[in-house]
Amino acid sequence: MLLKGITLTADQKQKLADLRTRDREAWQKDHPRGANGQDGANARPRREPGDTTGFGARRAEMEKRFDARIAEVRNILTADQRTQFDKNVAEMKAHRAENGGRFGHRGEKNS
């Protein structure tokens, strides 16, 4: 959605692919998983319904990572492409604000 209406060069596509790879590797390093999806003693306990402990901190961390990713992608684009990209980012943020700040579509409210 963020690159909607933007035609990328082969070099830009490669830089974005490299960025995704670095992000994935960093995520896996920070969130190691064993065969059953957990890492034993290092696994974060499952959150029970209604438990908001630590949720604000996790959301802030996700927001920080998101903003950093936006800046990295923006640096790959040309000035003309950034105009469309900034518009797409603004639309996505408005959509998230309408849905309680959620990153995905899960749990959207029906009007």
Side-chain angles (χ1 to χ4, degrees), residues 26-43:
W27 177 263
Q28 289 171 346
K29 179 183 172 208
D30 292 344
H31 300 87
R33 295 192 175 265
N36 64 354
Q38 296 294 322
D39 189 31
N42 295 329

Side-chain angles (χ1 to χ4, degrees), residues 8 11 50-51 62 67 69 73 90 94 104:
L8 300 171
D11 183 53
D51 178 13
M62 286 175 57
D67 289 341
R69 177 75 187 270
V73 171

